[in-house]
Amino acid sequence: MIDFEPVKFLIVDDDEVSVIKIKRAIAKAKLGNPVRVANDGIEALEILRGDGGQEKITPPYIVTLDINMPRMDGHEFLQEIRNDTRLKNVLVFVLTTSSNEADIRAAYDRNVAGYILKENSESDLIDKINMIENFSNLVVLPK
Amino acid sequence: MQRFVEINETLFENQFAQRQTEQKIREVATHLMRATTQFEDFIDKLLIRATTIILTNSSKIGAGQVIVPDERNVFLIFAGEVEVLNSLKSDVIDISNIVQSDLADFENSKSGGFADKLRFRVRSITQSLTLLQQSETRSELAKLATQINESLTAPAGYIDLQNEAQKAKRDFDELKGDQAVAVNDIDAKVEQIVFEATGSFETDIILAADLTRIIMGIGISTSLFVLSAIFLLDRNVVRNQISRRFTTMTEDILTISKGDYSHSIRVHGRDELGDIAHALDVFKNQAAELERSNAELERFAYVAAHDLRSPLDAIQDLARWTLEDERDSLSASCIENLELLIKRSSRLSALQADLLTYAQVGEMDTSVKPLFLKDEIEKISDMLDPESHYHITLENDPGEIVTYNLPLRQILINLITNAIKHHDRSSGRITVKFSRGGGQLKFVVEDDGPGIEPRFQGQIFELFKTLQSRDRVEGSGLGLALVTKVVERLGGKILVQSDAPQERGTRFVFEITDFSEESEVSRAA
């Protein structure tokens, strides 16, 4: 049975302006997808597991992940969910300004769906958000 | 000098005399040893006889047999004799030991109070002999004792000779001391010659003559000995010492060149090698410092890239969003201010990006690959002037060239950007002229803009220098500084030509290495 419920976005990013930017891009792409925001890896884990006073996010959802964050950065977050039997299949797109080779390699080693560079251009970001949305509609997401 | 020669002669005589005395002592000692051995043998025989008699008598006594008075007397006599014989034996063994240890000491150039001990033993032997019963063996022993006594105490006997030898040895030591003083004199003379080597020629001659006399005086054989000693010292000691230190230093240099700056240099000294080691230490510290500051610069580059860029982007985004969302409700001056805010922060972003590129020139990919120059110019033209206001062309198309791809692209982009940015008209011509020769690729980037007056030409390659207000022409002041840095890093050079204000146009000329095969062949030839 195909699920027509719209995919949720979990934005994991510590930069407030960056979060607004992604939210605006989603709005401008005329996508009505629900959005949840986590300021670092720890908060994202709480939302995914439904602990720490956070309401648990229900599938289908996609995670957009920044790399450089306080407390628990993107790499540590990826390691944590890949070792968690209930979260190891979560679909993650890295959305970051870091073009560092080591960051890219480490992210793909932990099976991210894609590593996307955040350019400053707004139209560029809208295109990318659109792509992620289309992708999530085309593929069957894990339950 | 005379004194030195005298001392040497005396020394020689002294040593000769010492040898002779030594020889005599050995002869007398041999004689003495023979006598003492005979003496001992005799006593041993007597002791065996006496002991046998005593044992026989005592077994009779033990068996309860009656000993006749005569026999008992004999027993008592022999018991006393054994005692005397033992004392004699110990005396003669003492004499023999003293002589032997004296001879050993002689070899070790030591002296001992031997004479008194020997005389005492001889006296003791004489006394003991009188206690023995009158017999043939006693007269034999007495003869041997006389012999020993004579060998020891007669003029030119053992004790005399030993005394003579001791005295000669003392003289020898004294003479040696005198000789050392004389040799120091000569050393001083030689040093004086070396010291005054740069001085007057006359002094040299006088001193050299002095030295010659000295050497003649010492005698050819001594000179030869001294020379050969110096030669041996030079060859074996000095050379081994130097080559060992060289090996150590080579190891140190190799370790440090591998980047181990904590390694300390193990060679020291006041010679040239020590100086080199010291210089190496200075280099090492500078290399470590350079590595540290390079690491710091890399960290700075990363901070500039990431931490500076994000807030700058955020400022621009927020101003843009405000304009987007609220343009209708904002006053005209508010809109103008926000637009200026966006422009200035864009300028800051551009400066940040240029600074980052400038800081990273050292890490720029300098791999050498073939490329089609015409394609490259066309790509740059499309990127910088997409609407083709300026006619950007390549003159003398070489087809494929082999050189540093990325740096060449960076240089061309910066020079063409400048030509467009500083052009005073909305259209114009920018020409890249190519030529090659002497293993170099020569490029000329020529425009028909306003040109640069010669008095300003020196400034344009400096960091952060701009000839126009940044409000008129956006620029970080880093473009040409970056080009210079890139060209110089590749071992090339760049210069500017312009005859403004008489004539329009500016020409930038630069050369970088030609890696094509023809060039390699011509260079090899």
Side-chain angles (χ1 to χ4, degrees):
Chain A
M1 197 186 87
I2 293 167
D3 196 342
F4 285 107
E5 194 185 336
V7 65
K8 301 177 192 74
F9 283 95
L10 173 58
I11 302 168
V12 189
D13 200 320
D14 66 314
D15 186 340
E16 212 180 330
V17 180
S18 206
V19 172
I20 298 173
K21 197 170 180 168
I22 296 168
K23 281 181 173 172
R24 285 178 73 93
I26 291 169
K28 282 196 177 169
K30 309 248 183 303
L31 306 169
N33 305 58
V35 172
R36 291 284 296 274
V37 177
N39 283 316
D40 56 37
I42 288 172
E43 216 177 300
L45 282 175
E46 286 170 355
I47 291 170
L48 289 171
R49 289 169 177 157
D51 54 20
Q54 295 281 356
E55 191 196 332
K56 188 178 174 177
I57 192 168
T58 52
Y61 57 80
I62 277 176
V63 175
T64 72
L65 180 69
D66 189 18
I67 295 293
N68 296 304
M69 290 182 295
R71 295 211 293 171
M72 181 189 279
D73 70 15
H75 296 305
E76 289 161 347
F77 169 77
L78 282 170
Q79 185 172 10
E80 191 75 23
I81 61 166
R82 293 303 180 227
N83 290 331
D84 184 324
T85 46
R86 284 166 305 148
L87 298 176
K88 67 179 180 194
N89 294 324
V90 168
L91 206 68
V92 179
F93 282 93
V94 174
L95 196 57
T96 181
T97 52
S98 168
S99 56
N100 189 305
E101 276 297 325
D103 281 342
I104 296 168
R105 216 178 312 117
Y108 278 113
D109 279 349
R110 296 193 173 114
N111 301 316
V112 294
Y115 193 101
I116 299 167
L117 277 176
K118 249 191 306 191
E119 300 292 334
N120 194 32
S121 145
E122 194 169 48
S123 62
D124 184 72
L125 186 66
I126 293 169
D127 288 348
K128 283 167 178 169
I129 293 291
N130 246 326
M131 184 279 292
I132 295 173
E133 221 279 330
N134 287 335
F135 175 86
S136 62
N137 286 330
L138 279 171
V139 301
V140 179
L141 294 172
K143 293 276 156 54
Chain B
M1 293 326 112
Q2 198 54 43
R3 167 121 184 83
F4 183 79
V5 177
E6 278 170 24
I7 292 165
N8 260 10
E9 278 167 5
T10 323
L11 263 174
F12 196 74
E13 279 167 21
N14 173 292
Q15 274 185 301
F16 186 73
Q18 274 195 54
R19 294 276 173 285
Q20 283 192 322
T21 317
E22 237 181 271
Q23 190 56 38
K24 279 186 206 156
I25 289 171
R26 275 179 218 288
E27 277 169 26
V28 176
T30 316
H31 193 69
L32 260 170
M33 286 301 136
R34 224 177 9 242
T36 51
T37 314
Q38 275 179 7
F39 199 93
E40 272 180 68
D41 285 348
F42 254 105
I43 289 170
D44 280 343
K45 273 181 204 153
L46 291 174
L47 272 172
I48 291 165
R49 204 190 67 180
T51 317
T52 316
I53 293 164
I54 291 165
L55 284 176
T56 320
N57 284 306
S58 53
S59 63
K60 278 182 188 164
I61 294 164
Q65 286 178 13
V66 179
I67 304 168
V68 290
D70 270 357
E71 279 175 336
R72 203 176 57 189
N73 281 345
V74 169
F75 173 69
L76 287 173
I77 287 162
F78 277 105
E81 200 156 12
V82 164
E83 207 177 309
V84 176
L85 282 172
N86 272 328
S87 147
L88 273 173
K89 191 178 173 176
S90 101
D91 282 335
V92 85
I93 285 175
D94 248 325
I95 290 172
S96 135
N97 281 344
I98 288 169
V99 170
Q100 267 173 352
S101 93
D102 269 351
L103 280 180
D105 277 352
F106 195 82
E107 316 279 53
N108 300 329
S109 320
K110 279 187 214 150
S111 59
F114 59 97
D116 289 344
K117 283 185 208 159
L118 286 174
R119 285 201 186 91
F120 178 74
R121 291 298 163 202
V122 171
R123 265 202 302 279
S124 164
I125 287 172
T126 322
Q127 278 170 9
S128 300
L129 280 175
T130 57
L131 296 175
L132 286 179
Q133 281 188 313
Q134 177 69 42
S135 66
E136 247 184 60
T137 46
R138 193 186 80 160
S139 51
E140 276 295 336
L141 278 173
K143 258 190 240 164
L144 279 170
T146 318
Q147 251 182 49
I148 291 170
N149 185 37
E150 256 172 20
S151 299
L152 283 171
T153 55
Y158 185 76
I159 291 171
D160 241 29
L161 283 171
Q162 274 287 16
N163 281 332
E164 203 178 301
Q166 296 295 338
K167 187 183 172 295
K169 211 174 285 176
R170 277 196 300 279
D171 287 348
F172 180 78
D173 289 341
E174 206 174 296
L175 282 166
K176 266 281 172 197
D178 291 351
Q179 192 198 32
V181 173
V183 166
N184 277 343
D185 279 349
I186 294 169
D187 270 354
K189 276 279 192 300
V190 174
E191 253 180 43
Q192 199 184 344
I193 288 172
V194 175
F195 183 71
E196 296 186 21
T198 48
S200 82
F201 185 63
E202 220 171 323
T203 328
D204 282 1
I205 291 192
I206 293 166
L207 286 165
D210 242 349
L211 189 70
T212 314
R213 256 204 317 281
I214 292 161
I215 290 169
M216 297 291 272
I218 293 168
I220 303 290
S221 64
T222 316
S223 307
L224 275 177
F225 171 75
V226 170
L227 283 174
S228 60
I230 290 169
F231 180 67
L232 280 174
L233 196 73
D234 200 30
R235 255 180 67 139
N236 297 327
V237 181
V238 178
R239 199 187 55 184
N240 283 347
Q241 174 84 350
I242 286 175
S243 82
R244 188 176 54 74
R245 289 165 76 216
F246 254 118
T247 312
T248 311
M249 181 122 91
T250 309
E251 285 168 11
D252 288 347
I253 292 173
L254 288 177
T255 311
I256 291 164
S257 72
K258 281 176 195 145
D260 180 5
Y261 301 125
S262 62
H263 183 85
S264 56
I265 295 143
R266 294 165 293 170
V267 175
H268 306 280
R270 289 182 172 194
D271 57 354
E272 286 86 345
L273 216 52
D275 290 348
I276 294 170
H278 180 69
L280 180 63
D281 200 44
V282 173
F283 284 139
K284 185 192 78 171
N285 291 337
Q286 281 173 349
E289 173 60 21
L290 197 64
E291 194 176 66
R292 192 195 60 74
S293 69
N294 271 346
E296 204 167 83
L297 196 65
E298 264 174 49
R299 272 200 302 283
F300 168 77
Y302 182 77
V303 169
H306 189 262
D307 294 11
L308 271 181
R309 191 183 151 180
S310 308
L312 269 174
D313 287 352
I315 291 166
Q316 287 173 65
D317 284 339
L318 289 166
R320 208 176 288 124
W321 295 336
T322 312
L323 281 176
E324 259 174 39
D325 300 349
E326 312 290 336
R327 186 178 280 272
D328 295 343
S329 55
L330 289 171
S331 70
S333 74
C334 186
I335 291 170
E336 200 192 325
N337 287 347
L338 281 171
E339 277 168 352
L340 274 173
L341 176 69
I342 293 169
K343 268 193 192 167
R344 289 295 184 278
S345 56
S346 304
R347 186 187 291 172
L348 195 53
S349 290
L351 175 60
Q352 175 268 334
D354 283 358
L355 257 178
L356 186 59
T357 317
Y358 188 83
Q360 285 176 329
V361 166
E363 290 159 43
M364 188 180 267
D365 177 7
T366 52
S367 51
V368 172
K369 288 174 205 153
L371 96 161
F372 286 95
L373 189 58
K374 196 164 172 39
D375 292 353
E376 191 71 21
I377 303 280
E378 275 168 12
K379 270 189 252 171
I380 293 171
S381 170
D382 285 347
M383 181 178 80
L384 299 178
D385 182 27
E387 288 159 33
S388 296
H389 294 297
Y390 298 89
H391 193 58
I392 302 171
T393 53
L394 170 65
E395 207 176 281
N396 190 19
D397 181 5
E400 197 181 58
I401 56 169
V402 185
T403 191
Y404 310 103
N405 278 15
L406 274 172
L408 177 62
R409 179 180 302 160
Q410 182 79 56
I411 296 164
L412 288 173
I413 286 175
N414 280 33
L415 291 179
I416 294 171
T417 305
N418 272 5
I420 295 171
K421 208 159 64 176
H422 296 283
H423 211 290
D424 53 351
R425 294 171 187 169
S426 57
S427 70
R429 297 183 64 87
I430 297 163
T431 313
V432 178
K433 293 178 178 172
F434 175 83
S435 59
R436 65 176 6 141
Q440 296 285 309
L441 301 175
K442 187 175 174 183
F443 298 85
V444 179
V445 178
E446 194 179 70
D447 65 56
D448 56 357
I452 301 164
E453 287 181 47
R455 61 191 169 122
F456 295 126
Q457 286 174 9
Q459 298 178 27
I460 60 171
F461 295 106
E462 287 173 28
L463 263 179
F464 300 115
K465 271 280 175 196
T466 54
L467 296 182
Q468 296 186 65
S469 155
R470 286 181 175 131
D471 287 343
R472 285 251 297 274
V473 178
E474 283 289 342
S476 60
L478 278 165
L480 284 176
L482 180 73
V483 167
T484 311
K485 196 173 167 187
V486 173
V487 171
E488 282 176 356
R489 188 171 128 73
L490 302 178
K493 53 178 188 258
I494 183 162
L495 55 93
V496 63
Q497 296 169 343
S498 179
D499 292 322
Q502 282 78 24
E503 275 181 64
R504 289 183 61 79
T506 309
R507 290 157 52 88
F508 283 96
V509 186
F510 67 94
E511 289 183 355
I512 54 173
T513 313
D514 182 4
F515 287 95
S516 62
E517 266 176 51
E518 307 97 85
S519 170
E520 298 286 339
V521 171
S522 72
R523 241 184 310 194

